[in-house]
Amino acid sequence: MSKENVRLSPPLLWGILLPVMVLLLSACTTAAPVLRGTGDLGVLIERADGRVKIVDTSARAVLAQVEGLGDLSHASVVFSRDARYAFVFGRDGGLSKVDLLTGRIVRRIMQAGNAIGGAISQDGRIVVAQNYMPGGIKAFDAETLELVADVPASYGSDGQRSKVVGLADLPGNRFVYSLFDADEIRVTDLSDPAHPTTQRFPAGRQPYDALVTPDGRYYIAGLFGEDGLAMLDLWQPQQGVRKILAGYGKGDAPLPVYKMPHLRGWAIAGGRAYLPAIGRHEVLVVDTTTWQEVGRIAVKSQPVFVMARPDGREVWVNFAFPENGWVQVIDTLSQDVVDTLQPGRAILHMEFAPRGEVVWLSSRDDNRVFIYDTASHKPLHSIAAASPSGIFFTSRAARTGF
Amino acid sequence: MSKENVRLSPPLLWGILLPVMVLLLSACTTAAPVLRGTGDLGVLIERADGRVKIVDTSARAVLAQVEGLGDLSHASVVFSRDARYAFVFGRDGGLSKVDLLTGRIVRRIMQAGNAIGGAISQDGRIVVAQNYMPGGIKAFDAETLELVADVPASYGSDGQRSKVVGLADLPGNRFVYSLFDADEIRVTDLSDPAHPTTQRFPAGRQPYDALVTPDGRYYIAGLFGEDGLAMLDLWQPQQGVRKILAGYGKGDAPLPVYKMPHLRGWAIAGGRAYLPAIGRHEVLVVDTTTWQEVGRIAVKSQPVFVMARPDGREVWVNFAFPENGWVQVIDTLSQDVVDTLQPGRAILHMEFAPRGEVVWLSSRDDNRVFIYDTASHKPLHSIAAASPSGIFFTSRAARTGF
């Protein structure tokens, strides 16, 4: 560098300073995502494209989209304790941690060959995936996605492994899940991830999905291999699994099952559980004190999701192919179907706003998510999305059993 | 300004440029608060100083403190739909909107002479204050705090106004509240704030506080002027108010009441409501199907808050002066008191983490907030705070009835 002085006119000086200032200012404004609360965010799965859209449920608008998430058929999502990150579980065993504020993937691992969703611990520190292949659950540090525990779903004398379904978090950093091939319910305590302990309960034939009541007390698994459901009181597990609704379809010729119903979700309202019957055009109603059937509600077709509006006054039901363009609404006070809607083609999932004023419905074949007012049952708005399936709002972060 | 050139050496040029760059960079880093999720934030009321501390419930740390909030004795807080803003209701009628991300007051109004808390509408657009003086409720735009509706609690022929207590939000942007002086429960529909409509229900003598069940269906008001509580089924309001637990203290000489119990909070677990008896050393247990008393649990002193852990397995109870250093834990399965704790002096409030792994307890006279593990019932951590009273976590944003 020459040591001689540089002669600068004041305009020239500003000609240097100003661009520098503008550059710096624009750098710090464009680099910094907008400061915002995360209590009203959500994620829409675009199943065919390995992509999610991040949405603002107050503005009913898309904030960002995130690519590169792998096979998102049957994908599910849980949220970090601070509601900033979405953990996206792909069908291909991919587990991705997405930052909802920056719209970026901050970590991504392939943790299994074939997976079916996950859950997050009560304290938010452990994310658990349920896997078909290799069958079992795996636990990861929620911060780093490092593996902290691998719990195979082994059974029998020759060490075969079962597909795991119906995973849900429980108080005390425990997780409950079902073994489709081993006819068991298991509870694994991950409060010390280096030393997981597992309790096993015979469950009945082929549990295929399950729900836990919002308080984390009762776990109910649907059975594919027999006529009834398995119920475990997690406050009194020594009592073992109790069969409920045994023989609900007895004597009837079974209908072909077009899609297995989902149990996970809000299906408890006013002291009753509303459960989809497999292969039947009925919603089964169970008293959650006695666990006896107290009614059946005839619906349009084979129910898939049976979800209570957060205030419990209504239960919304969608259906298997070919009737998957319909949604019915049950009034839990009268136990009647009070509305039959046709929001769009192939309604795959529903998610209620946390306090229930609206419900978002994904219409795969219309490539739209429709937002319905739950008081009027009328559409308010819609959002374009490519083959949307699951819809997940951050309010799930504060809830047990998702 | 002289037009002559300025002679700058390269070091001098950098001597100008560098500080400018540093200033700009530091401006954009210090001015921009840290990007973060808001699902795990909370507010601690420092009642004697008109101040709140903003806390991170994951890190168990104070993020900021906000001064200038007026008289915070008996203050309460609700949160915006996005969990970014806290609305702080002061005793002096002040209503402040605090940005939890920047730690600043973004709006503040004096809306009444004497107020006793508030609520936020299902859609998050309307914040409502309940006032003693002048008696009534007032509704404000949650964005701007502009008044959108003023609903006086007028009664009788000469237009006197009652103190309002027990305000809670309901589905449909409705609000339910009680009139202490007018012996009434009212439901005001603010779905069109320009034209509020109000239903009135005779309630019994001197309702002093109330709760709404988590589903928003049942509203239960404690009565100061008679022996029992008033219950309204908001799904069937035409049935009117029903008296429950009538005569629960009948025949006993009333004990002096040192502090009115609070009803608002999580007091519903496993199909039972746990209610503090006024002036008695008992928690009353009510079946929420029949609304009949099914038990009484003897506790150490006069209960103030009776709050269910989010999973409903335990109910935690604090007490009126002079026994306000104690906390008792009831097991809802056995209905027994299973633990008696002495966390600190003058335990004024409790707040559970949304999924219940810990509870925060404010100890006014120790100037600390203690964080207890709800599994072991042991203290994990504490935070210094001046005369702390109410503790409020952002997960309330997603819940009905707070």
Side-chain angles (χ1 to χ4, degrees), chain A residues 4-10 13 16-17 20-21 24-25 28 33-40 57-58 81-84 101-102 120-123 169 171 215 217 235-236 311-313 332-333 353-357 395 397-400, chain B residues 4-10 13 16-17 20-21 24-25 28 33-40 57-58 81-84 101-102 120-123 169 171 215 217 235-236 311-313 332-333 353-357 395 397-400:
Chain A
E4 57 183 329
N5 290 351
V6 183
R7 195 178 286 259
L8 290 173
S9 65
L13 178 62
I16 294 170
L17 281 174
V20 169
M21 290 160 71
L24 278 169
L25 274 173
C28 63
V34 178
L35 203 66
R36 54 164 302 139
T38 56
D40 59 348
T57 70
S58 297
R81 195 175 186 285
D82 62 0
R84 175 171 179 174
L101 289 174
T102 63
I120 185 164
S121 64
Q122 185 185 33
D123 68 4
D169 58 284
D215 57 8
R217 176 169 181 179
W235 290 7
Q236 303 178 94
D311 68 348
R313 179 61 192 268
T332 59
L333 189 61
R355 291 164 69 190
E357 70 277 15
S395 49
R399 297 204 164 132
T400 294
Chain B
E4 57 184 330
N5 290 352
V6 181
R7 193 178 286 259
L8 290 174
S9 65
L13 178 61
I16 294 170
L17 281 175
V20 168
M21 288 161 73
L24 278 169
L25 274 173
C28 64
V34 178
L35 205 65
R36 54 163 302 139
T38 55
D40 59 350
T57 70
S58 298
R81 195 175 186 285
D82 61 1
R84 175 171 180 175
L101 288 174
T102 62
I120 186 164
S121 64
Q122 184 185 33
D123 67 4
D169 58 283
D215 57 7
R217 176 168 181 181
W235 289 7
Q236 302 178 93
D311 68 348
R313 178 60 190 269
T332 58
L333 189 60
R355 291 165 69 190
E357 70 278 15
S395 48
R399 297 205 162 129
T400 294

Side-chain angles (χ1 to χ4, degrees), chain B residues 42-366:
Chain B
V43 165
L44 313 180
I45 303 290
E46 298 187 300
R47 53 184 277 137
D49 298 291
R51 187 170 60 215
V52 301
K53 283 192 154 61
I54 298 169
V55 293
D56 171 339
T57 70
S58 298
R60 296 168 189 165
V62 174
L63 297 178
Q65 56 182 29
V66 183
E67 315 265 354
L69 297 167
D71 179 357
L72 296 187
S73 56
H74 214 285
S76 75
V77 173
V78 298
F79 294 96
S80 62
R81 195 175 186 285
D82 61 1
R84 175 171 180 175
Y85 300 98
F87 298 93
V88 182
F89 301 90
R91 188 59 194 253
D92 55 4
L95 168 55
S96 309
K97 181 176 179 178
V98 173
D99 184 341
L100 303 179
L101 288 174
T102 62
R104 296 205 186 111
I105 298 172
V106 293
R107 298 267 190 293
R108 177 166 162 80
I109 58 170
M110 293 304 292
Q111 59 84 25
N114 189 331
I116 194 75
I120 186 164
S121 64
Q122 184 185 33
D123 67 4
R125 292 189 190 159
I126 298 170
V127 170
V128 174
Q130 61 181 341
N131 296 325
Y132 276 8
M133 180 65 61
I137 63 169
K138 283 185 177 176
F140 303 91
D141 182 298
E143 185 63 35
T144 62
L145 294 194
E146 276 169 47
L147 183 73
V148 295
D150 183 353
V151 184
S154 305
Y155 68 103
S157 51
D158 56 355
Q160 66 258 59
R161 292 169 72 159
S162 170
K163 294 192 190 79
V164 171
V165 297
L167 175 72
D169 58 283
L170 296 176
N173 285 2
R174 294 172 306 142
F175 293 84
V176 59
Y177 51 100
S178 295
L179 279 61
F180 180 81
D181 307 298
D183 303 342
E184 269 185 31
I185 293 170
R186 293 190 182 177
V187 178
T188 295
D189 185 336
L190 287 168
S191 52
D192 176 5
H195 302 95
T197 57
T198 299
Q199 288 177 284
R200 302 166 59 156
F201 303 91
R205 281 174 50 210
Q206 295 178 311
Y208 69 89
D209 195 17
L211 68 83
V212 67
T213 52
D215 57 7
R217 176 168 181 181
Y218 296 103
Y219 181 74
I220 301 163
L223 298 175
F224 187 64
E226 59 186 286
D227 201 1
L229 295 92
M231 193 270 287
L232 180 62
D233 179 351
L234 294 155
W235 289 7
Q236 302 178 93
Q238 70 283 1
Q239 296 183 349
V241 168
R242 174 173 157 194
K243 194 71 53 71
I244 63 170
L245 299 175
Y248 69 78
K250 205 170 169 179
D252 294 302
L255 295 167
V257 177
Y258 294 106
K259 179 169 168 56
M260 292 302 288
H262 280 261
L263 290 172
R264 192 159 166 167
W266 290 97
I268 310 286
R272 287 171 173 175
Y274 294 80
L275 303 171
I278 298 185
R280 299 179 61 82
H281 298 186
E282 285 177 344
V283 169
L284 309 171
V285 188
V286 187
D287 181 303
T288 60
T289 307
T290 63
W291 294 101
Q292 298 292 317
E293 180 181 325
V294 291
R296 293 180 184 207
I297 300 168
V299 289
K300 194 159 186 73
S301 184
Q302 295 181 1
V304 176
F305 280 101
V306 175
M307 300 177 90
R309 202 171 70 178
D311 68 348
R313 178 60 190 269
E314 292 182 349
V315 167
W316 289 52
V317 184
N318 72 342
F319 300 99
F321 177 85
E323 304 293 347
N324 61 4
W326 299 93
V327 168
Q328 288 192 306
V329 182
I330 295 167
D331 179 334
T332 58
L333 189 60
S334 69
Q335 304 281 306
D336 293 326
V337 172
V338 292
D339 219 338
T340 299
L341 310 170
Q342 213 169 0
R345 290 176 297 158
I347 302 297
L348 296 193
H349 196 222
M350 305 180 279
E351 178 86 337
F352 288 93
R355 291 165 69 190
E357 70 278 15
V358 295
V359 61
W360 291 40
L361 303 152
S362 52
S363 169
R364 186 193 58 202
D365 296 351
D366 281 336

Side-chain angles (χ1 to χ4, degrees), chain A residues 127-252:
Chain A
V127 171
V128 174
Q130 62 182 341
N131 295 325
Y132 276 8
M133 182 63 63
I137 64 168
K138 283 186 177 176
F140 303 90
D141 182 298
E143 185 62 35
T144 62
L145 294 194
E146 277 169 44
L147 183 73
V148 294
D150 183 352
V151 184
S154 306
Y155 69 102
S157 50
D158 56 353
Q160 66 257 57
R161 293 170 72 159
S162 170
K163 294 192 190 81
V164 170
V165 296
L167 175 72
D169 58 284
L170 296 176
N173 285 2
R174 294 173 306 143
F175 293 84
V176 58
Y177 51 99
S178 296
L179 278 63
F180 180 81
D181 308 299
D183 302 342
E184 270 184 32
I185 293 170
R186 293 190 183 176
V187 178
T188 295
D189 185 336
L190 287 168
S191 51
D192 175 6
H195 302 96
T197 57
T198 299
Q199 289 178 283
R200 301 167 58 156
F201 304 90
R205 282 174 51 211
Q206 296 179 310
Y208 68 89
D209 194 17
L211 67 84
V212 66
T213 52
D215 57 8
R217 176 169 181 179
Y218 297 103
Y219 181 74
I220 301 163
L223 298 174
F224 187 64
E226 58 188 287
D227 200 0
L229 294 93
M231 193 271 286
L232 180 62
D233 180 351
L234 295 155
W235 290 7
Q236 303 178 94
Q238 70 282 2
Q239 296 184 349
V241 168
R242 174 173 157 194
K243 195 70 54 69
I244 63 171
L245 300 175
Y248 70 77
K250 205 171 169 179
D252 294 303

Side-chain angles (χ1 to χ4, degrees), chain A residues 255-307:
Chain A
L255 296 166
V257 177
Y258 293 106
K259 178 170 171 53
M260 292 300 288
H262 281 262
L263 289 172
R264 193 160 167 166
W266 289 97
I268 311 285
R272 289 173 171 174
Y274 294 81
L275 303 170
I278 299 184
R280 298 179 60 82
H281 300 186
E282 284 176 344
V283 170
L284 309 172
V285 188
V286 186
D287 182 303
T288 59
T289 307
T290 63
W291 295 101
Q292 299 292 318
E293 180 180 325
V294 291
R296 294 182 184 204
I297 300 168
V299 290
K300 193 159 187 76
S301 183
Q302 294 181 1
V304 176
F305 280 102
V306 175
M307 301 177 89

Side-chain angles (χ1 to χ4, degrees), chain A residues 281-360:
Chain A
H281 300 186
E282 284 176 344
V283 170
L284 309 172
V285 188
V286 186
D287 182 303
T288 59
T289 307
T290 63
W291 295 101
Q292 299 292 318
E293 180 180 325
V294 291
R296 294 182 184 204
I297 300 168
V299 290
K300 193 159 187 76
S301 183
Q302 294 181 1
V304 176
F305 280 102
V306 175
M307 301 177 89
R309 202 171 71 177
D311 68 348
R313 179 61 192 268
E314 291 181 349
V315 167
W316 288 52
V317 185
N318 70 343
F319 300 99
F321 177 86
E323 303 294 346
N324 60 4
W326 298 92
V327 168
Q328 287 191 308
V329 182
I330 295 166
D331 179 335
T332 59
L333 189 61
S334 69
Q335 306 280 307
D336 293 325
V337 171
V338 291
D339 218 339
T340 299
L341 310 171
Q342 212 170 359
R345 290 177 297 158
I347 301 297
L348 295 193
H349 196 223
M350 305 180 278
E351 177 87 335
F352 288 94
R355 291 164 69 190
E357 70 277 15
V358 295
V359 61
W360 291 41

